[in-house]
Every structure is written in C-alpha cells, then in structure tokens.
Amino acid sequence: MAVLKPWQGKGDPTPRWRRLSWTVLIVYRLLRPVVGEMRALAAIHSVLSRQFRRHTPAYLEDRFGITQDAPGEAFARIAENYQPRGQRLFGAGFSYVQAVQTAERSETHIRKCLFSDFFRAHGAAELTPIFCAQDSIWVDELHKPRYGVRFARPTTLAAGDDACRFQFTRAAGSDSHGPAA
C-alpha cells in the first residue's frame, strides 16, 4: 500500500503540493453535489488526517528535526529549523518571515500559502482550513510535556488575515535552550 507523505521527495516540492491540491479539489467537486458541502469537507478532512496522523513522528523529524529519542530538544530544533526546513519541504508556494527569535520564543509568519492561493483561485477557499487543520495533529503531539513546547497560531491566511502566525514558546520548566536573538 502506498504511503502518503507529500512532504518527502526530491526537487522542488511545489508540484507535489499542487497535485495534492488538485486531487482534493476534484474529489471535493465530485462529492459535494452527492453528499453536500459539509459531509464532503468532513470526508476529505478525515482521509487527510488519518494518513497524516499515522506519520506524525516522521513528520516531526523531517519538518523540525525533532527526534523521539531527544524530545526535550524540540524548542531548539523548531527555532533552528522552522523556516529553512519549511522552505525545503513546502517550496516556493510558501513565503516565510522570521518575526521573533529569542531563547524563549520563535515566531514565523507565513505571508504566502500555496493552499490558500490555489483554493481561492479555484473558487473553493473552504478547502484551505482542511490543510490548516492538519497542523493540529503535530501540535497535539508537541503539546505533550516531554517536548517542552507551546504553540499558538492566532491568525491564518485562510481566515482572511495578512499572515499565518506560527508562535512557538518554550514551556515553563523546559531545560533545553535554543538560539538567542
């Protein structure tokens, strides 16, 4: 059985993310007239989440450099890798701006999102939050005490804001220290 890990592969990942976006859009347009908008959105969300959930530890390692044998280094790995690995894994369809980088906080703003741009351009902006919701899977894992990280995303492009603000904070009592500003 093929394993869905669209963040992995060689070369610019933008075409892989576009193919996934086209696939989701086509499935949505086929399902929506049959089962209705809400059930179509729920079905797509369920399928994507199930696949992603199965690979959360691999994603944490690929995306952030967080390994299961050193979870206490999570904040340091996020501070070091969020922007460069994001650019490598998601490609030119995304634009990252480092807003804050201290020993206790790391905040990156995503000002351009391939998913938001793609679904808006194709009249299906309601699909973008499904992709945003995938973040809750790795966030749920990161919020476990062994990682020592807190995460917030108070704004998203999908909600009409000017950026997705990814805010990571070292949890109180965490021993590891990341890069300072």
Side-chain angles (χ1 to χ4, degrees), residues 95-162:
S95 169
Y96 296 81
V97 176
Q98 189 70 48
V100 176
Q101 187 75 315
T102 70
E104 303 301 320
R105 290 183 51 222
S106 181
E107 182 175 334
T108 302
H109 298 175
I110 296 181
R111 300 242 181 235
K112 177 183 170 192
C113 169
L114 179 142
F115 304 124
S116 181
D117 294 346
F118 178 88
F119 292 122
R120 284 181 197 277
H122 293 285
E126 64 272 21
L127 287 167
T128 305
I130 291 173
F131 285 78
C132 299
Q134 301 310 300
D135 292 337
S136 68
I137 296 167
W138 58 262
V139 167
D140 288 347
E141 178 67 20
L142 275 183
H143 278 174
K144 293 179 179 174
R146 66 194 188 114
Y147 292 102
V149 175
R150 289 284 144 238
F151 171 79
R153 187 181 54 203
T155 65
T156 64
L157 291 164
D161 298 306
D162 66 334

